[in-house]
Amino acid sequence: MAAAMVAVAGGGDFSDLREIKKQLLSVAERSRERGLQHSGKWAAELAFALDPLPLSELPPPPVLTEEDARDLDAYTLAKSYFDLKEYDRAAYFLQGCKSQKAYFLYMYSRYLSGEKKKDDETVDSLGPLEKGQVKNEALRELRVELSKKHKAQELDGFGLYLYGVVLRKLDLVKEAIDVFVEAAHALPLHWGAWLELCNLITDKEMLKFLSLPDTWMKEFFLAHIYTELQLIEEALQKYQSLIDAGFSKSTYIISQIAVAYHNIRDIDKALSIFNELRKQDPYRIENMDTFSNLLYVRSMKPELSYLAHNLCEIDKYRVETCCVIGNYYSLRSQHEKAALYFQRALKLNARYLGAWTLMGHEYMEMKNTSAAIQAYRHAIEVNKRDYRAWYGLGQTYEILKMPFYCLYYYRRAHQLRPNDSRMLVALGECYEKLNQLVEAKKCYWRAYAVGDVEKMALVKLAKLHEQLNESEQAAQCYIKYIQDIYSCGEVVEHLEVSTAFRYLAQYYFKCKLWDEASACAQKCCAFNDTREEGKALLRQILQLRNQGETSSTDVAAPFFLPASLSANNTPTRRVSPLNLSSVTP
């Protein structure tokens, strides 16, 4: 049966959607028979997105072997115990079974029994921060037994998947990756093996060296791993091609696209897709914590409150629900309550990445830096690709005034998000504190070049030039900053706008450009903190003009950036003097 499954799964095209639907229905049933509920659900959801099959084309029931027939009574009894979470009891009645299906359920029952005992031991005795110290005692025995079967080549695709999970739990990452790749070859339709592989791949280089089966499932895997590795453009292209291939109704793909837009901070697009997803699947809980992050960022209290209440009605003891409620309390600045809900989420699932990171943020708000560090470190243990945890650690060490530590963590965050201006600005500030000003300049300029989210990179760069007495470069940065602020049509609440106008007024005054100096000084009068200086400068300009001082026709130095920066991809075009006629606060 497994061999037949591989045969139909081969080929990476989507020309025969009916055949793909048959394969999905078949693997969904096989996953359920083995208690792999999440893999079964994933295949069923994907199958549901395709057109229904006529009766004559429905997949036939699996063929039973002699071994299956002999083990049928024991399997049926054990599966009923397994479904009721009586794992030890299920394993007891499956001892000695020879069929692949019964043997998998026997080993899987033992694995889940160990996991359940581990969780029971930690729930009451320890808080979530110490949870990683308790181990599943069954893992070593399972590894020994599965290793023998593996060497004898007696494991099918599901058996290889379980062996990989055991190796991963024992932190044998390299061996686990090899086994998951083998499992994907043996049974390409089992999403669980692909997903486990996703969690172990840390960069694109690693992905290149994997020998993956040439099957349509590989496209789903690549789209998922690209999203995880923050290669969002490639991920969105893959998902679009899957939609074009016929999976336009798939809620899984829609949710993944929303997550991808969340990752590149296209908040409006992500919110719109999540709202559409909620209409299609109103009782869905998966990814709703990501939706709540977006509502949090936009400070949408009523919507976040509604989402929290709605999820509570559906299932209050789901990890995602706890995270949504935590975000709601955090938005209301009730940080102790928020941390409590993130802790509750981690009691339900200690490997839930989002909860660790969010709990770290709450501890930061409560000024509990040691607990924040511990939470962020746990997040990194769960997933080394989580840039938020690395960035959080950088912020924590910044509070503790340990710039060398900051630098290390911000660098790691920047490696994961090379085009995120926040990481670059944080790196620049670190270099500044360490008096590495050339590096700081590069970081600020790069932050501006990639699209400065917080519109602060140019100001920081200008202040750095001021500090180094590089007045022309400082003026150029302030001019560009003011142009950017006004061109995006924002209500100007930036404190630094007044700083920029004040500096430019003084700069033009020194250059004897009275008209420009006067225009900037007038702008200074619109801000409380620079009003008096603006008025004083206007009086000085008037006095000099009355004394017959003429405006200079040429600026002391043209506006070029220094060669040291030009060598680092910094454009050296001339910036024209600031046109203030269109600038109205």
Side-chain angles (χ1 to χ4, degrees):
M1 180 64 195
M5 202 67 157
V6 175
V8 293
D13 71 299
F14 295 89
S15 52
D16 191 351
L17 288 179
R18 283 172 176 250
E19 188 55 44
I20 286 171
K21 173 136 184 169
K22 278 189 208 174
Q23 295 170 26
L24 285 167
L25 290 171
S26 180
V27 81
E29 184 54 39
R30 293 181 72 199
S31 298
R32 278 196 296 273
E33 285 175 350
R34 287 158 179 79
L36 296 166
Q37 308 295 354
H38 290 287
S39 294
K41 185 188 79 168
W42 185 87
E45 279 183 347
L46 213 54
F48 184 76
L50 299 173
D51 293 334
L53 294 172
L55 180 63
S56 59
E57 289 190 34
L58 288 174
V63 180
L64 291 176
T65 63
E66 281 293 326
E67 285 177 340
D68 286 326
R70 273 199 302 273
D71 295 343
L72 187 62
D73 290 346
Y75 166 79
T76 307
L77 177 66
K79 183 68 169 70
S80 66
Y81 293 145
F82 181 94
D83 290 341
L84 292 166
K85 296 186 167 54
E86 297 184 47
Y87 302 123
D88 286 327
R89 203 174 176 194
Y92 175 78
F93 285 99
L94 286 166
Q95 286 179 77
C97 287
K98 302 290 181 197
S99 66
Q100 290 278 20
K101 185 165 68 176
Y103 178 74
F104 176 85
L105 197 63
Y106 168 63
M107 298 301 276
Y108 194 41
S109 297
R110 287 171 61 192
Y111 166 76
L112 288 179
S113 166
E115 287 294 295
K116 189 169 183 289
K117 283 168 188 165
K118 180 187 83 170
D119 290 345
D120 291 347
E121 213 175 304
T122 55
V123 164
D124 300 320
S125 59
L126 299 168
L129 289 173
E130 291 82 28
K131 203 164 185 178
Q133 295 168 8
V134 183
K135 301 290 180 195
N136 179 347
E137 297 298 330
L139 290 175
R140 295 190 185 284
E141 286 176 31
L142 289 170
R143 184 198 167 195
V144 170
E145 291 174 43
L146 286 165
S147 173
K148 285 175 187 170
K149 286 268 186 184
H150 182 234
K151 281 174 185 162
Q153 296 188 328
E154 290 173 12
L155 293 176
D156 65 355
F158 290 111
L160 287 164
Y161 160 74
L162 181 57
Y163 183 36
V165 169
V166 169
L167 290 170
R168 195 255 298 156
K169 285 274 184 179
L170 290 167
D171 294 323
L172 300 166
V173 176
K174 191 176 179 302
E175 294 91 327
I177 289 172
D178 293 340
V179 171
F180 285 130
V181 169
E182 200 180 330
H185 277 279
L187 185 60
L189 291 169
H190 179 218
W191 179 240
W194 292 103
L195 204 52
E196 285 288 346
L197 201 49
C198 270
N199 295 333
L200 297 176
I201 293 167
T202 52
D203 54 51
K204 202 173 180 180
E205 286 304 308
M206 219 169 157
L207 189 60
K208 283 179 190 169
F209 292 107
L210 292 183
S211 166
L212 298 169
D214 181 25
T215 156
W216 60 266
M217 282 287 282
K218 184 180 173 183
E219 297 302 302
F220 281 91
F221 164 76
L222 288 173
H224 191 95
I225 190 68
Y226 287 155
T227 309
E228 291 289 306
L229 294 173
Q230 307 293 332
L231 302 166
I232 304 301
E233 205 173 309
E234 292 96 320
L236 288 170
Q237 282 172 2
K238 286 279 178 198
Y239 283 126
Q240 190 54 53
S241 67
L242 290 170
I243 285 171
D244 297 341
F247 290 96
S248 57
K249 294 177 189 169
S250 166
T251 51
Y252 163 75
I253 291 177
I254 294 167
S255 69
Q256 284 296 107
I257 290 170
V259 168
Y261 280 117
H262 162 267
N263 288 356
I264 53 168
R265 295 178 70 80
D266 189 339
I267 296 170
D268 293 328
K269 188 93 172 167
L271 280 171
S272 140
I273 296 170
F274 270 123
N275 283 320
E276 189 55 44
L277 182 64
R278 294 264 295 158
K279 284 178 196 167
Q280 285 186 37
D281 193 355
Y283 293 93
R284 181 189 183 91
I285 294 181
E286 294 103 310
N287 307 115
M288 287 302 116
D289 51 333
T290 306
F291 183 31
S292 77
N293 291 344
L294 294 162
L295 296 173
Y296 178 93
V297 169
R298 277 286 153 91
S299 300
M300 297 166 82
K301 269 188 196 172
E303 291 86 347
L304 188 49
S305 171
Y306 174 76
L307 181 67
H309 282 96
N310 184 233
L311 294 185
C312 246
E313 284 170 18
I314 299 167
D315 187 350
K316 67 160 82 167
Y317 295 113
R318 275 283 289 270
V319 181
E320 294 91 340
T321 305
C322 294
C323 287
V324 171
I325 297 169
N327 269 339
Y328 171 66
Y329 281 121
S330 182
L331 190 56
R332 292 182 58 180
S333 299
Q334 293 176 256
H335 300 296
E336 289 84 357
K337 251 186 173 178
L340 200 67
Y341 273 95
F342 295 133
Q343 284 178 353
R344 185 178 289 182
L346 291 163
K347 280 189 175 184
L348 294 166
N349 181 359
R351 287 189 64 79
Y352 198 74
L353 174 67
W356 281 119
T357 310
L358 293 168
M359 194 160 75
H361 296 344
E362 292 314 306
Y363 283 133
M364 282 279 284
E365 292 289 343
M366 293 188 278
K367 306 287 186 284
N368 187 347
T369 47
S370 60
I373 287 169
Q374 220 173 342
Y376 288 135
R377 286 194 190 285
H378 275 287
I380 289 162
E381 274 174 36
V382 174
N383 185 352
K384 285 186 170 60
R385 296 189 303 261
D386 182 25
Y387 77 92
R388 294 168 306 168
W390 292 107
Y391 185 63
L393 277 170
Q395 287 180 310
T396 316
Y397 282 110
E398 198 169 342
I399 288 168
L400 295 171
K401 295 186 167 51
M402 298 167 78
F404 282 106
Y405 279 81
C406 280
L407 192 59
Y408 171 75
Y409 292 115
Y410 283 143
R411 268 182 186 159
R412 293 297 297 259
H414 170 58
Q415 282 164 8
L416 292 164
R417 299 270 291 191
N419 293 325
D420 193 323
S421 62
R422 293 166 303 161
M423 315 298 149
L424 285 156
V425 168
L427 261 179
E429 287 171 345
C430 249
Y431 281 124
E432 223 177 312
K433 281 172 191 163
L434 293 167
N435 212 30
Q436 296 182 28
L437 301 185
V438 174
E439 294 300 321
K441 280 188 201 175
K442 287 179 192 172
C443 288
Y444 292 142
W445 181 260
R446 174 85 180 134
Y448 166 68
V450 298
D452 185 15
V453 177
E454 289 161 346
K455 301 258 182 281
M456 287 304 294
L458 280 173
V459 173
K460 290 184 180 294
L461 185 56
K463 286 181 177 175
L464 208 51
H465 284 307
E466 266 189 79
Q467 201 180 317
L468 296 167
N469 296 319
E470 297 167 353
S471 54
E472 291 83 9
Q473 289 79 26
Q476 187 173 7
C477 290
Y478 279 131
I479 288 171
K480 192 68 192 145
Y481 166 69
I482 289 170
Q483 286 169 345
D484 282 0
I485 288 291
Y486 285 102
S487 66
C488 62
E490 289 179 6
V491 176
V492 180
E493 290 172 356
H494 274 247
L495 294 172
E496 303 298 345
V497 171
S498 58
T499 310
F501 278 125
R502 178 173 57 198
Y503 182 84
L504 286 169
Q506 290 166 349
Y507 173 76
Y508 286 131
F509 182 79
K510 281 176 195 167
C511 294
K512 297 186 179 181
L513 292 166
W514 310 133
D515 292 343
E516 286 85 348
S518 179
C520 288
Q522 282 168 0
K523 293 294 173 191
C524 288
C525 295
F527 300 95
N528 291 333
D529 57 331
T530 54
R531 186 169 294 140
E532 293 309 314
E533 286 174 76
K535 285 178 182 175
L537 202 59
L538 284 169
R539 283 195 296 272
Q540 275 182 280
I541 293 166
L542 190 62
Q543 196 179 346
L544 287 166
R545 276 180 164 165
N546 290 339
Q547 288 171 5
E549 282 270 0
T550 55
S551 184
S552 174
T553 52
D554 59 296
V555 180
F559 284 175
F560 285 106
L561 282 168
S564 61
L565 273 181
S566 302
N568 295 293
N569 303 320
T570 305
T572 56
R573 67 179 186 278
R574 178 191 281 260
V575 174
S576 57
L578 185 58
N579 175 12
L580 290 160
S581 58
S582 61
V583 176
T584 49

